[in-house]
């Protein structure tokens, strides 16, 4: 059976754009067939998309005659700024609309200094970054920000983030818009530049799924760094729960470790036992030079025996929680990412997971590590911006302003 035909009265220019972006329709004939619209109506709506500069043409494969001209989304007509904010440093990048990194910068940044100085310092990186990317600042269409805490999706505010002191319910979106205007100037959009904020594990999951696991209907990524969190992608979309709290597995309690106090105020949380922060603390108590998850990563790469032993045990503790996650969601892929995602931690996870999970839950499960590595956060943040700004409804709204 072929692709279902869309209802003509509902097939707007924005919906045609989705057919083009997805690759489901890349010729006028395909668009007519899938939309049910007349040739002239398809032409009118394509004219709107062309006037906005969102489309370009490419030569398709020949079927025996002259090669056909394909209509494709122009990934270079605008650019996105993406920021992956960690606890002690940040990575910022300029990307095209297809997720290709054009320029990037990393630097130390202490999230504990609070939102205003951190966001202003980040925005101060943007002019040089835009120049390095060789793009026009006026063609930046949005900013995506990845943060290590739970995010209320509608407002873009973090809610009670244990490792982001001073950030609770702060108007991050509005503050970063002002900082951008101060350091860079106006954007290509009417009004303040669009800013979107989400949890880091969610955005890493989005990036990894889109890059390498698009066919996986249920995908789980677990980030193990300073803290522990998970991102879940179901049928191609991030599952956030009702208020952004989905995937917060770092605060599931391990009852046999009720002596360990977590930053959230509870005892025995997985993050307090098995995170990079926890391992750094335990290593420091043994006299090892370790103050952060980055230090633990360094020690693991050096083959430090205590770090290796602790990372494997941390993986086993994470595995205890992931047995429930896998049994509940039945994912096709479970990906471990972050600074502790090396062989020792993975070995511990696999030991517990395959030992305790019902075989039906793991029969078709792939347990893998990150493919995008340190770039997953910025690629996911950029992908979030593009998916929102070029969604059917948002595209139609933007077109109405561009062509007014």
């Amino acid at each position: 059976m072929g692709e279902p035909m869309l209802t003509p009265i509902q097939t707007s220019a924005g919906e045609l754009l989705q057919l083009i972006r997805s690759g489901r329709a890349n010729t006028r004939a395909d668009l007519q067939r899938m939309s049910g619209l007349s040739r002239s109506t398809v032409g009118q709506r394509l004219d709107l998309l062309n006037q906005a500069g969102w489309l370009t043409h490419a030569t398709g494969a020949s079927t025996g005659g002259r090669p056909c001209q394909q209509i494709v989304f122009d990934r270079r007509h605008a650019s996105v700024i993406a920021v992956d904010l960690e606890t002690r440093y940040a990575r910022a990048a300029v990307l095209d609309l297809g997720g290709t990194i054009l320029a990037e910068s990393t630097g130390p940044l202490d999230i504990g200094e609070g939102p205003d100085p951190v966001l202003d310092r980040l925005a101060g990186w943007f002019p040089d970054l835009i120049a390095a990317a060789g793009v026009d600042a006026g063609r930046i269409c949005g900013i995506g920000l990845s943060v290590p805490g739970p995010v209320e999706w509608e407002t873009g505010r973090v809610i009670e983030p244990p490792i982001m002191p001073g950030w609770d319910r702060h108007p991050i979106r509005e503050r970063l818009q002002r900082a951008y205007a101060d350091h860079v100037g106006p954007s290509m959009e009417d009004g303040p530049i669009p800013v979107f904020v989400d949890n880091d594990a969610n955005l890493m999951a989005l990036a990894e799924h889109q890059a390498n696991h698009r066919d996986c209907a249920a995908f789980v990524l677990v980030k193990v760094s300073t803290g522990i969190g998970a991102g879940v992608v179901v049928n191609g979309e991030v599952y956030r729960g009702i208020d952004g709290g989905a995937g917060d597995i770092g605060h599931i309690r391990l009852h046999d470790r009720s002596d360990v106090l977590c930053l959230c105020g509870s005892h025995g949380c997985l993050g307090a036992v098995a995170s990079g922060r926890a391992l750094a603390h335990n290593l420091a108590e043994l006299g090892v030079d370790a103050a952060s998850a980055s230090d633990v990563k360094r020690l693991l790469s050096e083959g430090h025996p205590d770090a290796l032993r602790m990372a494997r045990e941390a993986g086993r503790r994470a595995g205890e929680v992931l047995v429930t996650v896998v049994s509940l969601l039945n994912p096709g892929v479970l990906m471990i990412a972050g600074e502790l995602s090396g062989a020792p931690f993975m070995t511990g996870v696999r030991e517990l997971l395959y030992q305790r999970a019902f075989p039906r839950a793991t029969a078709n499960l792939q347990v893998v590590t990150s493919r995008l590595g340190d770039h997953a956060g910025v690629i996911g943040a950029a992908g979030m911006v593009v998916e929102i700004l070029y969604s059917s409804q948002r595209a139609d709204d933007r077109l109405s302003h561009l062509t007014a």
Side-chain angles (χ1 to χ4, degrees), residues 336-357:
I336 309 298
E339 290 168 309
L340 267 65
S341 62
F345 191 93
M346 287 288 289
T347 299
V349 168
R350 288 193 173 103
E351 284 178 1
L352 256 291
L353 194 58
Y354 290 106
Q355 174 187 335
R356 297 191 182 179

Side-chain angles (χ1 to χ4, degrees), residues 3-16 19 24 30-38 41-42 45 392 396:
E3 294 279 2
M5 188 169 68
L6 301 181
T7 305
I9 195 169
Q10 296 177 343
T11 310
S12 65
E15 287 166 323
L16 291 188
L19 294 175
R24 294 163 60 199
D30 287 342
L31 291 167
Q32 284 177 243
R33 175 177 55 83
M34 293 195 63
S35 68
L37 297 173
S38 68
T41 302
V42 167
R45 293 182 181 173
S392 298
D396 285 328

